[in-house]
Amino acid sequence: MPSSVTAPPVTPEQPQPPAGTGGGSGSLDRFFRISERGSTVGREVRGGFATFFAMAYIIVLNPIILGSAEDMYGNQLDGGELVTATVLSAAFTTLLMGVIGNVPIALAAGLGVNTVVALQLAPNMSWPDAMGMVVLAGFVVMLLVATGLRERVMNAVPLGLRKGIAIGIGLFIMLIGLVDSGFVSRIPDAAHTTVPLQLGSDGHLNGWPVLVFAVGTLLTLALLIRRVPGAILISIVVMTVAAMAVHALADVPSWGLTTPEWPGNPFSTPDFGLLGQVSLFGGFGKVGLLTGSLFVFTVLLSCFFDAMGTILGVGDEAELVDEKGDFPGINKVLLVDGLAVATGGATSSSATTCYVESTAGVGEGARTGLASVVTGGLFAVALFLTPLATMVPSQAATPALVAVGFLILAGSIKDIDWSDFTIAVPAFLAMVMMPFTYSITNGIGIGFIAFSVLRLAAGRGREVPVAMYVVSAVFVFFYAMPALGLT
């Protein structure tokens, strides 16, 4: 059945090219199946740019997270080397995803996983030991792909729950956009309140950056309603220019991680000092076999299901699933994802995984791996132009996440059978737990457990695939680990 559409509908003035004509040029069109998927080279290029700008913040954020932590010997990773490692991993794995997987999914250092590496692994071992465990987790992911287990797990997820996961990702990326822009913010624990978020930084909207975000969101939605080709990318470019003007003319205390001003020197020299600084099994000698295995399991679980949710969500929005809700050729995508996890460890940038911000490119009409090739190419260029890549403030890029979040919800919610509580409740829990816990993995885990339990309670246990029971049991064990003293 057709999935939701995030790209503006084709108007009579802009006819969609029939298969085999107009969507691409010669071998490029045939290799990426551009026309076959109803796209054009222009849409793929715009989508690649939109995805890059939507996730370029990782170039700054990942070095901050990893660089602020110390290993057990008090060593810290160099910031400049971390920038190179982060960009290199993103470029290489995203290019692979485009060429091998042929899907518009970009990859970079995973948020959440890098925190686990920085705060759980590194303090108990050396940095090479910690990154070695990330590499091992990547090897396990690839082994699961080779045996077909990972694909069986994904195919075992019922369509209604898949739609719930997709909606949860939409709500999650919308919340990411709202938080990263400063439109909403976390209330400090010192406030002693049960309300976790507030409007703006103090309960009110104030400051130029928030205004840039608000105007950018309205501009993005207006362009989408007007069916303007390149709506998301146009909005990002326009609001970046506007932010630069505001920053030059007004007193803006902070834009967050990036400042919208032209860098004095737009060029940078990459430093590959962290490449290959890995000890595969050294960490086990520091923490023991059981604890080390649990560390690898923790990294594996986060990478496995974060990527699964993103792949299903982006694939659904890009209309890459068939009428049964299956994703043809997904094994290649999963293989690249597993290789990406290991690549992140090998470069010391932490596990590299699929990014939900890829939906920004899908929102521009991207349907093939050509968009990922463009995004990967931009990351490769950023190795030498990092100052330019980091001048786009989050307030200019995050409106795309809000708009795409709504489009995902609007396109998927109608496909859930709300009359069947054994699927409606798990889908509901999956979609709300992702933003409420700020984790794709948690949303998937709670949804899986609820589905298995409710089907059993309804006397329909035989309808649940064995793989769902196995994965649900794994999640139960994972959530029980602290109580069992295993963390």
Side-chain angles (χ1 to χ4, degrees), residues 214-225:
V215 173
T217 300
L218 293 175
L219 174 61
T220 302
L221 294 172
L223 292 174
L224 287 172
I225 290 173

Side-chain angles (χ1 to χ4, degrees), residues 1 41 51 59 69 76 129 156 172 178 188 248 330 335 349 351 354 390 410 456 480:
M1 64 189 303
V41 172
T51 294
I59 299 174
Q76 289 183 297
D129 295 336
F172 181 49
L178 294 174
I330 195 172
L335 181 62
S349 63
C354 302
T390 56
L456 281 171

Side-chain angles (χ1 to χ4, degrees), residues 54 110 118 134 159 301 345 368 413 421:
V134 174
L159 182 61
L301 197 67
T368 77
I413 199 166
F421 282 13

Side-chain angles (χ1 to χ4, degrees), residues 80 83 323 350 363 402 440 446 459:
V83 169
E323 64 279 358
S350 178
V402 176
I440 293 175
I446 293 171

Side-chain angles (χ1 to χ4, degrees), residues 293-325:
S293 298
L294 290 175
F295 280 156
V296 174
F297 176 73
T298 300
V299 174
L300 169 68
L301 197 67
S302 181
C303 294
F304 188 108
F305 289 103
D306 265 26
M308 189 189 96
T310 300
I311 291 167
L312 289 177
V314 175
D316 188 58
E317 290 310 299
E319 302 179 351
L320 300 179
V321 298
D322 58 24
E323 64 279 358
K324 297 180 181 179

Side-chain angles (χ1 to χ4, degrees), residues 9 23-24 36 51 62 64 79 87 121 128 158 164 218 260 320-321 335 337 359 364 392 431 434 442 459 478:
E36 180 182 333
T51 294
N62 192 53
I64 290 176
V87 176
L121 272 64
L218 293 175
L320 300 179
V321 298
L335 181 62
D337 176 68
T359 52
E364 277 294 344
V392 178
M431 69 177 69
M434 287 186 194
N442 284 336
F478 179 72

